[in-house]
Amino acid sequence: MKFIVHHTDGHARHGIIETAHGQVRTPAFMPVGTAGTVKAIYPEQLRSMGADMVLGNCYHLMLRPSAETIAKLGGLHAFMQWDGAILTDSGGFQVMSLAKLCTRTEEGVQFQSHIDGTEYMLTPERSIEIQSLLGADICMVLDECTAYPATLEQAQTSMQLSMRWAERCKTAFAKYNNKQNALFGIIQGGVYDALRCESAATLQAMGFDGYAFGGLAVGEGQAAMLGVLEATMPSLPQTCPRYLMGVGTPDDIVESVARGIDMFDCVMPSRAGRHGLAYTARGTVNLRNARHANDPRPLDENSPCAAANQYSRAYLHHLVKCGEYLASMLLTWNNLFFYQQLMAQLRTAIEQGQFAAFRDKFKQQQMKGDIAPF
């Protein structure tokens, strides 16, 4: 993997990540393909709207159909018919949040599947093996997502465990690496700046292809999240991609790009679509609300996305209220298109040295609300 920064504007960066499955333009938003698919959307739609990379979920795929099965079928790219890049998470977050019973030790995490109660042991070594079997372009180290809120002592203990696991992941990666994939370290430390900087320094001493921020957007609020980024970013190398995991809202993304983040992922746009919420240039539109029942306007007549410019709000409201599958499909299409368009606009603004102006205009537009006429 290679990362090249082509343009900077303040701390914001526009670049290219070179992977075995093509280029990833940054800033980049990765749609989340939990079980080998981004819900309610076709792979070719993702490509056409500008997505270069998707995220695969180690935890869900290890449970079914299993990493070994996917490997026998040609790897995750072939399995899900996606020819772009894939980043896989380590499975640690889902183990902590979804497993029926979960016991953490120095060795790893023993847990029961949320599906059928089968017992598994996820270690740093096994996590890397699974991600390698899947054929990920970018693998993530196994870490412990520090709970929020956490005391300084709790955050320190958790962070130090994650650092020991990261070192074991790096050793395992050297064994399984096919010289075409990359490994990212994950910075932990809660909302404590000193711990975050210590974590970043520890990971840099080990040497990774990129550096991610874990354990944020878990309830600490945007101001605290951005404060962590501001405190930690000077500790990171300029030559590696920076990834903010599980983030987030459009405003979170714009503000994080302003602080030097290159990569994002979040279930928010697809999950919101399945629950009747649409993202537009003028803010969110809740299609469950009765006031849309007789509204002939599209979501956004100026959007190039057919889901946004061809279907009336009244029709979308009707689909949502009836629980029709098409509601999820159209709104997920609209939302992911909006996110990809936002990333393209950010890249252009950085390239042209107009990031600050774009940032201000974006905030103003988002505050107008969906009732205002176009």
Side-chain angles (χ1 to χ4, degrees):
M1 188 202 80
K2 292 192 298 184
F3 177 58
I4 304 168
V5 177
H6 289 303
H7 304 278
T8 61
D9 188 358
H11 294 296
R13 318 196 300 177
H14 165 40
I16 295 289
I17 301 173
E18 297 277 2
T19 78
H21 288 89
Q23 294 184 338
V24 179
R25 297 161 293 177
T26 65
F29 179 83
M30 298 176 285
V32 177
T34 301
T37 177
V38 180
K39 289 182 174 63
I41 202 85
Y42 293 109
E44 51 267 32
Q45 286 179 289
L46 292 173
R47 269 305 203 185
S48 67
M49 67 179 66
D52 296 327
M53 177 180 279
V54 298
L55 184 143
N57 191 279
C58 180
Y59 171 82
H60 289 279
L61 293 172
M62 72 178 279
L63 297 184
R64 59 183 180 191
S66 85
E68 285 75 12
T69 296
I70 292 174
K72 290 177 182 176
L73 293 168
L76 186 55
H77 293 84
F79 191 58
M80 65 183 289
Q81 291 296 297
W82 172 254
D83 62 357
I86 295 177
L87 180 147
T88 48
D89 61 16
S90 65
F93 177 80
Q94 286 74 26
V95 166
M96 304 295 181
S97 62
L98 294 178
K100 293 180 178 179
L101 294 174
C102 179
T103 303
R104 187 206 69 194
T105 65
E106 185 68 34
E107 179 63 17
V109 187
Q110 187 168 4
F111 67 96
Q112 285 186 341
S113 163
H114 72 287
I115 299 170
D116 59 10
T118 301
E119 289 195 358
Y120 292 86
M121 182 69 176
L122 184 65
T123 64
E125 293 78 11
R126 177 57 178 160
S127 175
I128 296 299
E129 180 185 20
I130 291 168
Q131 295 179 74
S132 299
L133 286 168
L134 295 174
D137 296 280
I138 297 178
C139 306
M140 304 300 298
V141 299
L142 181 66
D143 65 326
E144 181 183 44
C145 184
T146 306
Y148 179 83
T151 66
L152 176 62
E153 183 179 2
Q154 290 170 332
Q156 182 178 38
T157 299
S158 177
M159 181 272 288
Q160 290 173 345
L161 176 64
S162 290
M163 296 305 97
R164 294 192 296 273
W165 283 0
E167 189 166 20
R168 288 166 57 189
C169 284
K170 189 159 193 282
T171 300
F173 185 74
K175 174 183 176 182
Y176 293 108
N177 181 19
N178 61 10
K179 301 191 184 303
Q180 291 188 322
N181 51 4
L183 181 65
F184 280 23
I186 302 178
I187 301 162
Q188 288 289 356
V191 294
Y192 302 98
D193 294 347
L195 292 182
R196 289 281 179 173
C197 291
E198 179 185 344
S199 177
T202 302
L203 292 172
Q204 279 192 75
M206 297 178 200
F208 289 92
D209 299 300
Y211 297 89
F213 287 84
L216 292 175
V218 291
E220 76 281 358
Q222 189 191 69
M225 179 186 76
L226 297 178
V228 166
L229 298 184
E230 291 169 0
T232 314
M233 209 65 77
S235 302
L236 297 177
Q238 296 289 324
T239 55
C240 295
R242 304 156 180 168
Y243 167 28
L244 181 53
M245 304 178 74
V247 173
T249 67
D251 186 56
D252 285 341
I253 289 174
V254 172
E255 290 304 312
S256 299
V257 168
R259 289 156 176 82
I261 293 294
D262 305 299
M263 302 166 62
F264 303 87
D265 82 278
C266 192
V267 298
M268 193 172 290
S270 50
R271 180 176 289 171
R274 298 195 304 277
H275 289 85
L277 189 70
Y279 288 93
T280 76
R282 292 175 179 259
T284 56
V285 180
N286 187 349
L287 275 309
R288 292 186 176 277
N289 288 346
R291 62 184 174 85
H292 299 297
N294 297 302
D295 192 339
R297 297 180 303 158
L299 287 171
D300 184 349
E301 64 185 20
N302 297 317
S303 171
C305 177
N309 65 43
Q310 290 187 11
Y311 300 89
S312 72
R313 298 183 184 207
Y315 180 60
L316 294 171
H317 169 78
H318 163 71
L319 294 178
V320 169
K321 296 300 286 186
C322 291
E324 288 290 341
Y325 295 143
L326 186 58
S328 296
M329 295 169 67
L330 290 175
L331 294 180
T332 298
W333 183 11
N334 170 82
N335 290 352
L336 288 174
F337 189 101
F338 174 81
Y339 268 63
Q340 293 302 330
Q341 188 176 49
L342 173 60
M343 306 318 289
Q345 292 168 342
L346 287 167
R347 293 191 293 264
T348 298
I350 295 168
E351 182 178 358
Q352 296 177 350
Q354 296 294 318
F355 176 77
F358 173 83
R359 180 186 181 186
D360 291 341
K361 182 179 179 181
F362 177 80
K363 285 179 173 293
Q364 293 170 7
Q365 287 292 106
Q366 288 286 296
M367 292 173 61
K368 287 185 177 180
D370 67 274
I371 300 178
F374 289 111

